[in-house]
Amino acid sequence: MRHTLALAAIVLPAHVYALAGARDSPDRGAVEGFKDDRFKCELPPVVDPSSDGLPAARDVFSGKEALKLQVERHSAIVSIPTVSYDDNGEPLEDPRWEVFFTLHEKLESLYPNVHRRMARETVNTLGLLYTIKGSDSSLKPLLLTAHQDVVPATSESAWSYPPFSGHFDGTWLWGRGAYDDKNSLTALLSALEELLGNPGWEPTRTIILAFGFDEECSGRRGAGTIGPHLENLYGRNSMVMILDEGSTGMDLVGNDTLYALPSVMEKGHVDIWIELHVNGGHSSMPFPHTGIGIMAEIVTQLEAHPWEPEVIEGSPIHKHYMCQAVYSPESAPNITRLVREGDLKSLAKELVTLDRSTHYRLQTSQAVDYFQGGVKINAMPEYIKIGVNHRIAPQDSIPAVKANILKQIKPIVNKFSLAVRAFDGEEQYPDFGLSEKVGDGVVNTMYDVEYNGTLVLTSSQETLAAPVSPTTGLVWDLFSGTIQHSFAFDGGKVVPVGELMTGNTDTRHYLGLTPNIYRWIPMQQGHAINPHTIDERVKMEDHLAVVRFYYDLIRNFDASKVGPTADSLKVGEL
C-alpha cells in the first residue's frame, strides 16, 4: 500500500513575513549621513616631518642592512604560533594561550628601546598596552593597534614552507600571520624602536600601542577589555586618532596615480547557527534523506540566493570611484561615465565584475564556513550543525539577515515536516512562535518516513556597522598629508580616499575612544597575500615601507597641535 506523508510548515507571525521582505525594501536607516554634496575629492597639503631633525624614514629603513634586520624581527615573531581558537577558554585556564607568553618574551628581546622607555601593561593577562607619556597633556594621545593572534594553519603539508617557519626566500616572508596581523605588529614596534633609540627624542604627544590577543575570535577578551580600560584611564573621545589593520591597502591605477584606501567604516556582522535534531538509525536502512542531506539542501538554498549589491550615494566606495573619475578618468571609461551620470544601479553591476574585494564591499556576504555532522560511517547522524557568517552591507541589517534565513529555509522545512525554534530570547525577535504546524506539501513514498526533525536557529557576534570616520577636518588632513608624503613617487600623485572594510577588526571595541578611526595597512594590492589560507606571505621590501609610514605618522602627529577640535568630532551617523 502506498502511503502519503503530509509535511508540516512553520507558521510565522505576520510581522515576521513583513520583515522577511526586507531584502526587497530594506530599512534604510543605516545609510543616513552618507550623502555629501560638498565632496569634491580635494587633497589636503602634503605633510613632511623633516622639521623635527630626525633621520628621514628612507635613510633609516632602506637598504640591505635594514632589510636583514626587519626579516630577523618579523621571522622571529611569525615563528611563534599564537593561534586563537573559537573554543578557547580564559587565559590562565586554557593551556593553548601559554604560547603568547613566549611571544611577549621575544618582543622584549627584539625591541629593547621600546621596553626600556615605554611603560608596558598587561590587560586581562595577555593584552599588551605600551605607553610613552608626552610632555603636553592637553594633546590627545595617538592610539596605534594590531593583534597578536593568528588563525590556525590547517593543511600544513600543502604549504610551500611550514606555516610557522617564518621562511624568507629573498623576496617574500612566509607564514601564518606574516600578513594578518603580525605585519602591523612588527612594523609598529620597529618604528618606535628607532624613535626611542634616539635619546634626544621626547614625544610631545602621548603615544599608545594596543595589541589584543583574540581578534580572530571577535576580540572579546583582548581589545574587548583594553577598550574599556583605556576609557577608564583617559575617558571617552580621548584619543586623537586610532589606526588599526585594514585590507584595502593601496591601488596603483595607470602607473601615475596611487590610491590609498584606508577604511573609514566596517560592515556589520552576524553569525547564524542552524542546528538540526533528527531521527537516526542504521545506515543499511536509510531514510530518503539523512540529516546531512536535509542540511545540505538548506546550504544549497542559501547559496542559490545571495544578497544584492548596491552603490549607495555618498558611501565610501562611491566617493572612491568619484575620486578615480577625477584623477584617473581614462583608466576605466565606463566607470567614469556611470559615476558622472549618477547611474549607481549600473555602476554596481559594473563594479562587481572587477574582483571579489570590490564585489563584497557592495553587498552583504554570506558564507557557510562551519559544518558538523555524523559520528560513524554506518549510523545516520542525529545532530547536524552549520554556521553561516554574514558581513552586512550598510543597506542591510541584522534583522533582515535573520528574516532572510527564515524565508530561505521555509521550503525545506515544509518538505521534511520540521519543527523550528528560531532566535528564542534574542532581542531582534522577542515574540517568535514557530512551533505551530499546518499541512503544506506532500512527499510520496512506499512507506511512512518519520524524520521527527527540529531546527534550532541562533545568532552570535551581532555587530552593527561602524560609524563613518571623517574624511575632512584637521585629523584627516594630517593623516592624508602623511600618506601623500610617505608614498610620493616621481611623476605620480597619491590620492587618499576613505573606503569600506569587508571584515571586522578590534576597532569595534574602541568606538568610544574617538570618531577618527581608520583601518589600513599601507601595502599595494598583491604585495601581501593569502591571509587565513595556505601560503600566507608578505613582500619584505613593502613591509619596510609600512615601517617608514608608521615612523612618519608618529612624528607628524607628535609635531602637530591637533587635538580636541570641533573638526575632529564630525561623524557620519549610521
Side-chain angles (χ1 to χ4, degrees):
M1 180 178 177
R2 188 176 182 87
H3 297 277
T4 299
L5 178 63
L7 297 184
I10 58 173
V11 174
L12 302 178
H15 74 279
V16 177
Y17 281 116
L19 189 54
R23 288 181 62 164
D24 302 317
S25 302
D27 177 359
R28 307 295 293 181
V31 301
E32 290 299 321
F34 274 151
K35 189 172 181 181
D36 181 3
D37 295 331
R38 299 168 298 173
F39 182 75
K40 304 297 182 186
C41 202
E42 297 171 342
L43 297 179
V46 174
V47 184
D48 183 344
S50 60
S51 62
D52 63 9
L54 292 172
R58 193 160 291 279
D59 293 339
V60 178
F61 299 108
S62 297
K64 291 182 179 179
E65 289 304 312
L67 178 63
K68 179 182 177 183
L69 175 60
Q70 209 56 23
V71 167
E72 290 173 356
R73 288 168 169 168
H74 199 39
S75 177
I77 290 170
V78 170
S79 297
I80 301 172
T82 49
V83 177
S84 61
Y85 299 90
D86 288 345
D87 62 347
N88 268 123
E90 297 302 316
L92 300 181
E93 296 177 5
D94 188 330
R96 290 175 294 180
W97 290 119
E98 291 177 5
V99 68
F100 285 75
F101 295 116
T102 303
L103 174 63
H104 297 177
E105 293 171 1
K106 178 60 66 176
L107 296 181
E108 284 191 59
S109 66
L110 290 174
Y111 300 104
N113 293 327
V114 167
H115 288 82
R116 179 173 56 87
R117 295 190 59 188
M118 298 187 82
R120 194 190 83 169
E121 182 180 1
T122 57
V123 181
N124 193 18
T125 307
L126 298 176
L128 293 178
L129 202 59
Y130 293 88
T131 304
I132 182 165
K133 290 289 186 181
S135 59
D136 188 345
S137 60
S138 71
L139 297 177
K140 292 183 176 182
L142 174 65
L143 177 58
L144 304 170
T145 70
H147 61 87
Q148 308 168 55
D149 61 312
V150 301
V151 297
T154 56
S155 306
E156 292 192 18
S157 62
W159 284 65
S160 298
Y161 304 97
F164 295 106
S165 64
H167 176 79
F168 179 59
D169 66 7
T171 301
W172 298 85
L173 193 142
W174 303 64
R176 174 61 77 233
Y179 176 16
D180 182 10
D181 178 39
K182 291 179 176 179
N183 188 24
S184 299
L185 186 146
T186 304
L188 286 169
L189 287 168
S190 298
L192 273 162
E193 180 70 10
E194 174 63 28
L195 286 166
L196 296 169
N198 187 326
W201 186 71
E202 297 286 346
T204 304
R205 183 187 301 275
T206 295
I207 309 296
I208 303 172
L209 301 180
F211 300 146
F213 60 90
D214 64 339
E215 189 273 347
E216 301 294 358
C217 306
S218 83
R220 177 178 63 85
R221 298 181 177 94
T225 57
I226 293 173
H229 179 68
L230 288 172
E231 284 196 29
N232 287 335
L233 288 177
Y234 296 95
R236 291 183 63 82
N237 191 31
S238 55
M239 302 293 148
V240 64
M241 186 182 84
I242 297 174
L243 181 60
D244 196 7
E245 63 170 328
S247 59
T248 40
M250 299 185 293
D251 185 20
L252 182 62
V253 176
N255 295 319
D256 62 356
T257 309
L258 183 64
Y259 292 89
L261 305 170
S263 295
V264 295
M265 71 172 299
E266 293 182 353
K267 295 171 81 174
H269 177 198
V270 66
D271 294 329
I272 303 295
W273 299 93
I274 306 176
E275 298 171 89
L276 174 62
H277 300 265
V278 67
N279 283 345
H282 200 289
S283 58
S284 64
M285 299 177 291
F287 296 143
H289 300 273
T290 67
I292 289 176
I294 294 171
M295 199 67 95
E297 290 199 20
I298 290 176
V299 172
T300 299
Q301 177 74 5
L302 291 175
E303 293 192 341
H305 296 84
W307 291 77
E308 292 295 321
E310 182 178 353
V311 176
I312 305 167
E313 185 176 6
S315 63
I317 196 166
H318 183 217
K319 290 181 177 179
H320 169 189
Y321 285 98
M322 288 173 68
C323 288
Q324 185 169 302
V326 171
Y327 295 103
S328 310
E330 301 304 319
S331 65
N334 201 36
I335 290 176
T336 297
R337 177 182 61 81
L338 294 172
V339 168
R340 290 175 175 174
E341 292 175 354
D343 186 353
L344 301 189
K345 196 166 191 177
S346 297
L347 180 61
K349 292 179 181 178
E350 183 76 15
L351 292 177
V352 297
T353 66
L354 297 181
D355 52 54
R356 273 192 300 160
S357 174
T358 305
H359 181 180
Y360 285 105
R361 296 204 301 278
L362 297 175
Q363 85 176 54
T364 294
S365 63
Q366 61 175 14
V368 182
D369 293 331
Y370 182 94
F371 202 125
Q372 173 192 347
V375 295
K376 204 169 185 303
I377 192 60
N378 62 350
M380 290 188 293
E382 298 172 333
Y383 176 77
I384 306 91
K385 180 178 182 179
I386 66 170
V388 190
N389 177 278
H390 295 81
R391 305 303 171 111
I392 305 168
Q395 65 267 23
D396 301 315
S397 65
I398 293 172
V401 167
K402 291 182 176 181
N404 178 62
I405 291 282
L406 291 170
K407 176 183 175 182
Q408 298 304 333
I409 69 172
K410 185 181 177 184
I412 294 95
V413 166
N414 291 346
K415 180 177 178 181
F416 296 103
S417 189
L418 304 177
V420 176
R421 297 205 313 269
F423 311 114
D424 287 352
E426 296 186 16
E427 290 184 5
Q428 304 289 357
Y429 297 102
D431 58 348
F432 268 6
L434 301 179
S435 59
E436 189 176 347
K437 298 181 179 181
V438 297
D440 187 0
V442 295
V443 169
N444 295 319
T445 64
M446 298 298 294
Y447 46 82
D448 288 333
V449 177
E450 186 56 62
Y451 290 100
N452 195 28
T454 299
L455 280 176
V456 179
L457 282 74
T458 57
S459 68
S460 64
Q461 296 200 43
E462 294 188 7
T463 305
L464 298 176
V468 182
S469 297
T471 52
T472 58
L474 298 178
V475 173
W476 171 262
D477 288 354
L478 184 55
F479 182 43
S480 173
T482 304
I483 294 169
Q484 293 175 67
H485 166 77
S486 292
F487 297 99
F489 60 105
D490 290 340
K493 182 180 290 291
V494 180
V495 180
V497 58
E499 253 291 359
L500 179 144
M501 182 87 175
T502 55
N504 298 99
T505 67
D506 274 340
T507 59
R508 70 175 85 180
H509 302 291
Y510 300 143
L511 297 177
L513 291 168
T514 179
N516 303 302
I517 299 177
Y518 304 100
R519 307 151 185 92
W520 191 55
I521 302 176
M523 301 193 76
Q524 286 197 44
Q525 294 172 10
H527 292 203
I529 60 175
N530 292 355
H532 289 220
T533 190
I534 294 166
D535 283 348
E536 181 177 354
R537 58 194 186 273
V538 61
K539 280 189 174 180
M540 286 305 294
E541 285 287 358
D542 291 79
H543 170 81
L544 273 175
V546 178
V547 183
R548 290 194 292 267
F549 169 72
Y550 289 148
Y551 179 77
D552 285 344
L553 184 76
I554 294 167
R555 293 164 65 199
N556 275 340
F557 268 86
D558 191 55
S560 170
K561 296 300 182 183
V562 63
T565 64
D567 273 357
S568 72
L569 302 180
K570 295 177 182 176
V571 187
E573 282 293 318
L574 283 180

